[in-house]
Each structure stands twice: as structure tokens, then as C-alpha cells.
Amino acid sequence: MSKAMREPTFWILTALVDQPRHGYGVIQAAELLSEGQVRLQAGTLYAALDRLAAQGLVAIDREEIVEGRPRRYYRLTDGGAAALAEETARLARNASTASRLLNASRPGPAFA
């Protein structure tokens, strides 16, 4: 059983599922996908991307120069997709268990 993924990591990986993104694109996508619950700061994001790259969960897709500044794009690796799928399944199991217990603890409708 693997350790639970931190929420920012979950949203960073989720932001990279559909396409490679540069840092600001990851920040925007994570905020949008999490419905505003996760607001990544640039320093936090780049430290996380470095860590995730070292773990083999993301990789540099390409670099380009925009207005004289380098812009690095990151993509989800197969290992990152597998880790995200595992975490998604873990969260679904947890939610299912909690829902089942909540529903069982509530009395049903009264019949007259």
C-alpha cells in the first residue's frame, strides 16, 4: 500500500493529464480543476516539479523562449499516470466507504 499523495501533487499531475504545460499553465489548470481549492505559488510549484521529475512522475517535454525568457513545458510520464490512477482509486475507495457509512447511519423515510 503506497502513501497518500499530497493534494497539490495530485492536482499538478492531474493538470498534466491532457497536455504538456508550462509552470503558469499548471498553476492555472490546477486552480480551475480543483474549483479554486488549490492555488499553487510559483516557488512551491517549481520545487514540486523538480521533486516529481526526480521521482520519474513528470518529465520536461520541451523548452522555448518567449519574450527572451525560457519557458519549460512539463508532461506526465507513464509512471506519473500510474501513480495518479492509483491515488484516484484510493480516494474513490475512501469516498465510497464514507458514503456507505453515512447512508447506513441515517434513518430511512418513515412509512405511515
Side-chain angles (χ1 to χ4, degrees):
M1 182 174 190
S2 65
K3 184 177 165 185
M5 189 178 285
R6 293 181 54 225
E7 190 169 18
T9 299
F10 176 86
W11 290 112
I12 290 167
L13 296 179
T14 300
L16 295 172
V17 167
D18 62 341
Q19 65 183 359
R21 296 181 193 276
H22 56 78
Y24 186 63
V26 172
I27 289 171
Q28 290 178 309
E31 185 171 348
L32 179 68
L33 293 167
S34 71
E35 298 178 349
Q37 296 301 305
V38 171
R39 294 181 181 182
L40 301 167
Q41 300 299 313
T44 302
L45 172 69
Y46 289 108
L49 287 169
D50 287 344
R51 178 180 48 81
L52 295 170
Q55 294 171 342
L57 303 180
V58 303
I60 296 170
D61 185 69
R62 68 186 183 278
E63 290 186 12
E64 58 187 31
I65 303 298
V66 177
E67 297 179 5
R69 299 184 64 188
R71 182 178 285 177
R72 183 175 287 174
Y73 286 77
Y74 296 87
R75 65 174 170 77
L76 190 64
T77 63
D78 290 343
L84 183 59
E86 183 179 321
E87 180 66 3
T88 301
R90 186 189 73 77
L91 291 170
R93 285 190 306 273
N94 291 354
S96 176
T97 298
S99 292
R100 181 176 40 81
L101 292 172
L102 282 168
N103 290 333
S105 70
R106 293 187 180 144
F111 294 101

